[in-house]
PDB file of all heavy atoms in Angstrom:
ATOM      1  N   ALA E   1     108.445  92.280  83.320  1.00  0.00           N
ATOM      2  CA  ALA E   1     107.094  92.816  82.999  1.00  0.00           C
ATOM      3  C   ALA E   1     107.182  94.315  83.617  1.00  0.00           C
ATOM      4  O   ALA E   1     107.821  94.588  84.707  1.00  0.00           O
ATOM      5  CB  ALA E   1     106.071  92.134  83.768  1.00  0.00           C
ATOM      6  N   THR E   2     106.653  95.229  82.982  1.00  0.00           N
ATOM      7  CA  THR E   2     106.379  96.645  83.475  1.00  0.00           C
ATOM      8  C   THR E   2     105.097  97.113  83.274  1.00  0.00           C
ATOM      9  O   THR E   2     104.268  96.606  82.506  1.00  0.00           O
ATOM     10  CB  THR E   2     107.392  97.458  82.698  1.00  0.00           C
ATOM     11  OG1 THR E   2     107.009  97.595  81.371  1.00  0.00           O
ATOM     12  CG2 THR E   2     108.899  97.198  82.864  1.00  0.00           C
ATOM     13  N   GLN E   3     104.620  98.171  84.138  1.00  0.00           N
ATOM     14  CA  GLN E   3     103.394  98.753  84.054  1.00  0.00           C
ATOM     15  C   GLN E   3     103.518 100.193  84.338  1.00  0.00           C
ATOM     16  O   GLN E   3     104.202 100.679  85.259  1.00  0.00           O
ATOM     17  CB  GLN E   3     102.388  98.085  85.063  1.00  0.00           C
ATOM     18  CG  GLN E   3     101.064  98.622  84.922  1.00  0.00           C
ATOM     19  CD  GLN E   3     100.125  97.877  85.766  1.00  0.00           C
ATOM     20  OE1 GLN E   3     100.227  98.135  87.065  1.00  0.00           O
ATOM     21  NE2 GLN E   3      99.248  97.088  85.271  1.00  0.00           N
ATOM     22  N   THR E   4     103.023 101.072  83.266  1.00  0.00           N
ATOM     23  CA  THR E   4     103.196 102.363  83.451  1.00  0.00           C
ATOM     24  C   THR E   4     102.133 102.978  84.336  1.00  0.00           C
ATOM     25  O   THR E   4     101.118 102.333  84.879  1.00  0.00           O
ATOM     26  CB  THR E   4     102.941 103.114  82.076  1.00  0.00           C
ATOM     27  OG1 THR E   4     101.612 102.915  81.700  1.00  0.00           O
ATOM     28  CG2 THR E   4     103.978 102.693  81.137  1.00  0.00           C
ATOM     29  N   PHE E   5     102.230 104.353  84.782  1.00  0.00           N
ATOM     30  CA  PHE E   5     101.116 104.853  85.683  1.00  0.00           C
ATOM     31  C   PHE E   5      99.754 104.708  85.183  1.00  0.00           C
ATOM     32  O   PHE E   5      98.950 104.581  86.033  1.00  0.00           O
ATOM     33  CB  PHE E   5     101.542 106.396  85.936  1.00  0.00           C
ATOM     34  CG  PHE E   5     100.602 106.878  86.868  1.00  0.00           C
ATOM     35  CD1 PHE E   5     100.709 106.801  88.233  1.00  0.00           C
ATOM     36  CD2 PHE E   5      99.620 107.760  86.481  1.00  0.00           C
ATOM     37  CE1 PHE E   5      99.969 107.341  89.164  1.00  0.00           C
ATOM     38  CE2 PHE E   5      98.751 108.429  87.425  1.00  0.00           C
ATOM     39  CZ  PHE E   5      98.871 108.194  88.673  1.00  0.00           C
ATOM     40  N   ASP E   6      99.608 104.817  83.877  1.00  0.00           N
ATOM     41  CA  ASP E   6      98.308 104.773  83.231  1.00  0.00           C
ATOM     42  C   ASP E   6      97.906 103.308  82.821  1.00  0.00           C
ATOM     43  O   ASP E   6      97.108 103.007  81.959  1.00  0.00           O
ATOM     44  CB  ASP E   6      98.131 105.671  82.136  1.00  0.00           C
ATOM     45  CG  ASP E   6      99.243 105.444  80.998  1.00  0.00           C
ATOM     46  OD1 ASP E   6     100.176 104.543  81.274  1.00  0.00           O
ATOM     47  OD2 ASP E   6      99.138 106.106  79.982  1.00  0.00           O
ATOM     48  N   SER E   7      98.677 102.312  83.484  1.00  0.00           N
ATOM     49  CA  SER E   7      98.347 100.853  83.354  1.00  0.00           C
ATOM     50  C   SER E   7      98.707 100.220  82.036  1.00  0.00           C
ATOM     51  O   SER E   7      98.234  99.086  81.832  1.00  0.00           O
ATOM     52  CB  SER E   7      96.905 100.654  83.688  1.00  0.00           C
ATOM     53  OG  SER E   7      96.548 101.010  85.133  1.00  0.00           O
ATOM     54  N   TYR E   8      99.479 100.915  81.141  1.00  0.00           N
ATOM     55  CA  TYR E   8      99.975 100.150  80.075  1.00  0.00           C
ATOM     56  C   TYR E   8     100.914  99.009  80.679  1.00  0.00           C
ATOM     57  O   TYR E   8     101.967  99.314  81.261  1.00  0.00           O
ATOM     58  CB  TYR E   8     100.694 101.058  79.070  1.00  0.00           C
ATOM     59  CG  TYR E   8     101.434 100.245  77.954  1.00  0.00           C
ATOM     60  CD1 TYR E   8     100.693  99.914  76.807  1.00  0.00           C
ATOM     61  CD2 TYR E   8     102.861 100.140  78.062  1.00  0.00           C
ATOM     62  CE1 TYR E   8     101.283  99.229  75.854  1.00  0.00           C
ATOM     63  CE2 TYR E   8     103.460  99.462  77.040  1.00  0.00           C
ATOM     64  CZ  TYR E   8     102.705  99.028  75.891  1.00  0.00           C
ATOM     65  OH  TYR E   8     103.352  98.280  74.942  1.00  0.00           O
ATOM     66  N   THR E   9     100.864  97.827  80.075  1.00  0.00           N
ATOM     67  CA  THR E   9     101.605  96.703  80.590  1.00  0.00           C
ATOM     68  C   THR E   9     102.439  96.141  79.409  1.00  0.00           C
ATOM     69  O   THR E   9     102.096  96.198  78.294  1.00  0.00           O
ATOM     70  CB  THR E   9     100.913  95.573  81.226  1.00  0.00           C
ATOM     71  OG1 THR E   9      99.960  95.041  80.284  1.00  0.00           O
ATOM     72  CG2 THR E   9     100.118  96.138  82.363  1.00  0.00           C
ATOM     73  N   ASN E  10     103.573  95.619  79.767  1.00  0.00           N
ATOM     74  CA  ASN E  10     104.550  95.088  78.773  1.00  0.00           C
ATOM     75  C   ASN E  10     105.253  93.756  79.390  1.00  0.00           C
ATOM     76  O   ASN E  10     105.649  93.930  80.490  1.00  0.00           O
ATOM     77  CB  ASN E  10     105.720  96.032  78.420  1.00  0.00           C
ATOM     78  CG  ASN E  10     106.527  95.394  77.360  1.00  0.00           C
ATOM     79  OD1 ASN E  10     106.091  94.734  76.290  1.00  0.00           O
ATOM     80  ND2 ASN E  10     107.885  95.683  77.387  1.00  0.00           N
ATOM     81  N   TYR E  11     105.016  92.657  78.693  1.00  0.00           N
ATOM     82  CA  TYR E  11     105.737  91.431  79.186  1.00  0.00           C
ATOM     83  C   TYR E  11     106.676  90.834  78.320  1.00  0.00           C
ATOM     84  O   TYR E  11     106.541  91.056  77.097  1.00  0.00           O
ATOM     85  CB  TYR E  11     104.601  90.323  79.356  1.00  0.00           C
ATOM     86  CG  TYR E  11     103.438  90.668  80.471  1.00  0.00           C
ATOM     87  CD1 TYR E  11     102.214  91.252  80.168  1.00  0.00           C
ATOM     88  CD2 TYR E  11     103.713  90.253  81.818  1.00  0.00           C
ATOM     89  CE1 TYR E  11     101.323  91.585  81.027  1.00  0.00           C
ATOM     90  CE2 TYR E  11     102.858  90.550  82.710  1.00  0.00           C
ATOM     91  CZ  TYR E  11     101.596  91.169  82.343  1.00  0.00           C
ATOM     92  OH  TYR E  11     100.656  91.433  83.350  1.00  0.00           O
ATOM     93  N   ALA E  12     107.623  90.261  78.954  1.00  0.00           N
ATOM     94  CA  ALA E  12     108.674  89.467  78.106  1.00  0.00           C
ATOM     95  C   ALA E  12     107.869  88.335  77.390  1.00  0.00           C
ATOM     96  O   ALA E  12     106.937  87.642  78.104  1.00  0.00           O
ATOM     97  CB  ALA E  12     109.741  88.902  78.959  1.00  0.00           C
ATOM     98  N   ASP E  13     108.300  87.917  76.211  1.00  0.00           N
ATOM     99  CA  ASP E  13     107.578  86.860  75.476  1.00  0.00           C
ATOM    100  C   ASP E  13     107.593  85.607  76.339  1.00  0.00           C
ATOM    101  O   ASP E  13     106.740  84.743  76.315  1.00  0.00           O
ATOM    102  CB  ASP E  13     108.172  86.534  74.260  1.00  0.00           C
ATOM    103  CG  ASP E  13     107.992  87.649  73.172  1.00  0.00           C
ATOM    104  OD1 ASP E  13     106.958  88.399  73.453  1.00  0.00           O
ATOM    105  OD2 ASP E  13     108.657  87.679  72.173  1.00  0.00           O
ATOM    106  N   SER E  14     108.749  85.252  77.153  1.00  0.00           N
ATOM    107  CA  SER E  14     108.908  84.111  77.744  1.00  0.00           C
ATOM    108  C   SER E  14     108.021  83.826  78.951  1.00  0.00           C
ATOM    109  O   SER E  14     107.813  82.843  79.547  1.00  0.00           O
ATOM    110  CB  SER E  14     110.364  84.008  78.326  1.00  0.00           C
ATOM    111  OG  SER E  14     110.727  85.058  79.148  1.00  0.00           O
ATOM    112  N   VAL E  15     107.377  85.027  79.501  1.00  0.00           N
ATOM    113  CA  VAL E  15     106.395  85.008  80.667  1.00  0.00           C
ATOM    114  C   VAL E  15     104.933  85.342  80.262  1.00  0.00           C
ATOM    115  O   VAL E  15     104.134  85.132  81.167  1.00  0.00           O
ATOM    116  CB  VAL E  15     106.930  85.790  81.811  1.00  0.00           C
ATOM    117  CG1 VAL E  15     108.456  85.573  82.200  1.00  0.00           C
ATOM    118  CG2 VAL E  15     106.727  87.259  81.414  1.00  0.00           C
ATOM    119  N   GLU E  16     104.824  85.760  79.074  1.00  0.00           N
ATOM    120  CA  GLU E  16     103.347  86.211  78.629  1.00  0.00           C
ATOM    121  C   GLU E  16     102.418  85.067  78.841  1.00  0.00           C
ATOM    122  O   GLU E  16     102.745  83.829  78.446  1.00  0.00           O
ATOM    123  CB  GLU E  16     103.462  86.600  77.154  1.00  0.00           C
ATOM    124  CG  GLU E  16     102.165  87.022  76.613  1.00  0.00           C
ATOM    125  CD  GLU E  16     101.799  88.386  76.762  1.00  0.00           C
ATOM    126  OE1 GLU E  16     102.744  89.354  76.572  1.00  0.00           O
ATOM    127  OE2 GLU E  16     100.790  88.773  77.362  1.00  0.00           O
ATOM    128  N   GLY E  17     101.363  85.341  79.518  1.00  0.00           N
ATOM    129  CA  GLY E  17     100.226  84.296  79.825  1.00  0.00           C
ATOM    130  C   GLY E  17     100.558  83.524  81.202  1.00  0.00           C
ATOM    131  O   GLY E  17      99.736  82.886  81.522  1.00  0.00           O
ATOM    132  N   ARG E  18     101.693  83.683  81.680  1.00  0.00           N
ATOM    133  CA  ARG E  18     101.942  82.913  82.915  1.00  0.00           C
ATOM    134  C   ARG E  18     102.176  83.931  84.044  1.00  0.00           C
ATOM    135  O   ARG E  18     101.828  83.630  85.332  1.00  0.00           O
ATOM    136  CB  ARG E  18     103.254  82.010  82.810  1.00  0.00           C
ATOM    137  CG  ARG E  18     103.188  81.079  81.755  1.00  0.00           C
ATOM    138  CD  ARG E  18     104.479  80.141  81.809  1.00  0.00           C
ATOM    139  NE  ARG E  18     105.640  80.853  81.543  1.00  0.00           N
ATOM    140  CZ  ARG E  18     106.634  80.919  82.378  1.00  0.00           C
ATOM    141  NH1 ARG E  18     106.591  80.283  83.660  1.00  0.00           N
ATOM    142  NH2 ARG E  18     107.803  81.419  82.044  1.00  0.00           N
ATOM    143  N   PHE E  19     102.766  85.050  83.746  1.00  0.00           N
ATOM    144  CA  PHE E  19     102.937  86.013  84.973  1.00  0.00           C
ATOM    145  C   PHE E  19     102.035  87.196  84.652  1.00  0.00           C
ATOM    146  O   PHE E  19     101.650  87.596  83.636  1.00  0.00           O
ATOM    147  CB  PHE E  19     104.390  86.668  84.871  1.00  0.00           C
ATOM    148  CG  PHE E  19     105.444  85.667  85.076  1.00  0.00           C
ATOM    149  CD1 PHE E  19     105.204  84.436  85.348  1.00  0.00           C
ATOM    150  CD2 PHE E  19     106.773  86.021  85.273  1.00  0.00           C
ATOM    151  CE1 PHE E  19     106.133  83.411  85.671  1.00  0.00           C
ATOM    152  CE2 PHE E  19     107.858  85.245  85.506  1.00  0.00           C
ATOM    153  CZ  PHE E  19     107.548  83.912  85.780  1.00  0.00           C
ATOM    154  N   THR E  20     101.622  87.866  85.853  1.00  0.00           N
ATOM    155  CA  THR E  20     100.782  89.024  85.858  1.00  0.00           C
ATOM    156  C   THR E  20     101.283  90.133  86.739  1.00  0.00           C
ATOM    157  O   THR E  20     101.537  89.838  87.810  1.00  0.00           O
ATOM    158  CB  THR E  20      99.352  88.627  86.242  1.00  0.00           C
ATOM    159  OG1 THR E  20      98.779  87.563  85.421  1.00  0.00           O
ATOM    160  CG2 THR E  20      98.344  89.902  86.102  1.00  0.00           C
ATOM    161  N   ILE E  21     101.466  91.273  86.109  1.00  0.00           N
ATOM    162  CA  ILE E  21     101.906  92.421  86.869  1.00  0.00           C
ATOM    163  C   ILE E  21     100.655  93.348  87.260  1.00  0.00           C
ATOM    164  O   ILE E  21      99.754  93.486  86.445  1.00  0.00           O
ATOM    165  CB  ILE E  21     102.895  93.347  86.157  1.00  0.00           C
ATOM    166  CG1 ILE E  21     103.618  94.379  87.047  1.00  0.00           C
ATOM    167  CG2 ILE E  21     102.319  93.904  84.983  1.00  0.00           C
ATOM    168  CD1 ILE E  21     104.782  94.997  86.449  1.00  0.00           C
ATOM    169  N   SER E  22     100.648  93.723  88.596  1.00  0.00           N
ATOM    170  CA  SER E  22      99.659  94.700  88.985  1.00  0.00           C
ATOM    171  C   SER E  22     100.159  95.606  89.969  1.00  0.00           C
ATOM    172  O   SER E  22     101.263  95.505  90.522  1.00  0.00           O
ATOM    173  CB  SER E  22      98.533  93.900  89.630  1.00  0.00           C
ATOM    174  OG  SER E  22      98.995  93.116  90.830  1.00  0.00           O
ATOM    175  N   ARG E  23      99.437  96.738  90.279  1.00  0.00           N
ATOM    176  CA  ARG E  23      99.998  97.784  91.091  1.00  0.00           C
ATOM    177  C   ARG E  23      98.814  98.141  92.128  1.00  0.00           C
ATOM    178  O   ARG E  23      97.647  98.270  91.589  1.00  0.00           O
ATOM    179  CB  ARG E  23     100.466  98.984  90.212  1.00  0.00           C
ATOM    180  CG  ARG E  23     101.808  98.783  89.779  1.00  0.00           C
ATOM    181  CD  ARG E  23     102.173  99.990  88.803  1.00  0.00           C
ATOM    182  NE  ARG E  23     102.164 101.238  89.484  1.00  0.00           N
ATOM    183  CZ  ARG E  23     102.363 102.353  88.937  1.00  0.00           C
ATOM    184  NH1 ARG E  23     102.630 102.439  87.675  1.00  0.00           N
ATOM    185  NH2 ARG E  23     102.293 103.398  89.614  1.00  0.00           N
ATOM    186  N   ASP E  24      99.190  98.621  93.184  1.00  0.00           N
ATOM    187  CA  ASP E  24      98.428  99.395  94.292  1.00  0.00           C
ATOM    188  C   ASP E  24      99.015 100.734  94.231  1.00  0.00           C
ATOM    189  O   ASP E  24      99.887 101.012  95.054  1.00  0.00           O
ATOM    190  CB  ASP E  24      98.270  98.613  95.497  1.00  0.00           C
ATOM    191  CG  ASP E  24      97.359  99.296  96.568  1.00  0.00           C
ATOM    192  OD1 ASP E  24      97.075 100.520  96.342  1.00  0.00           O
ATOM    193  OD2 ASP E  24      96.852  98.557  97.305  1.00  0.00           O
ATOM    194  N   ASN E  25      98.470 101.660  93.593  1.00  0.00           N
ATOM    195  CA  ASN E  25      98.975 103.051  93.468  1.00  0.00           C
ATOM    196  C   ASN E  25      98.927 103.746  94.800  1.00  0.00           C
ATOM    197  O   ASN E  25      99.752 104.590  95.298  1.00  0.00           O
ATOM    198  CB  ASN E  25      98.275 103.932  92.555  1.00  0.00           C
ATOM    199  CG  ASN E  25      98.670 103.441  90.981  1.00  0.00           C
ATOM    200  OD1 ASN E  25      99.621 102.880  90.701  1.00  0.00           O
ATOM    201  ND2 ASN E  25      97.664 103.663  90.212  1.00  0.00           N
TER     202      ASN E  25
END
């Protein structure tokens, strides 16, 4: 999973719906 500075997120298909990425800038 990745998250850009403007909060666009991308997940691998295998973890979509189970993993959540978040950031504290």
Side-chain angles (χ1 to χ4, degrees):
T2 60
Q3 187 174 70
T4 64
F5 181 78
D6 55 359
S7 298
Y8 172 80
T9 59
N10 183 39
Y11 292 96
D13 289 343
S14 60
V15 307
E16 183 84 51
R18 300 188 297 119
F19 291 10
T20 303
I21 189 170
S22 61
R23 282 175 57 184
D24 184 334
N25 289 331

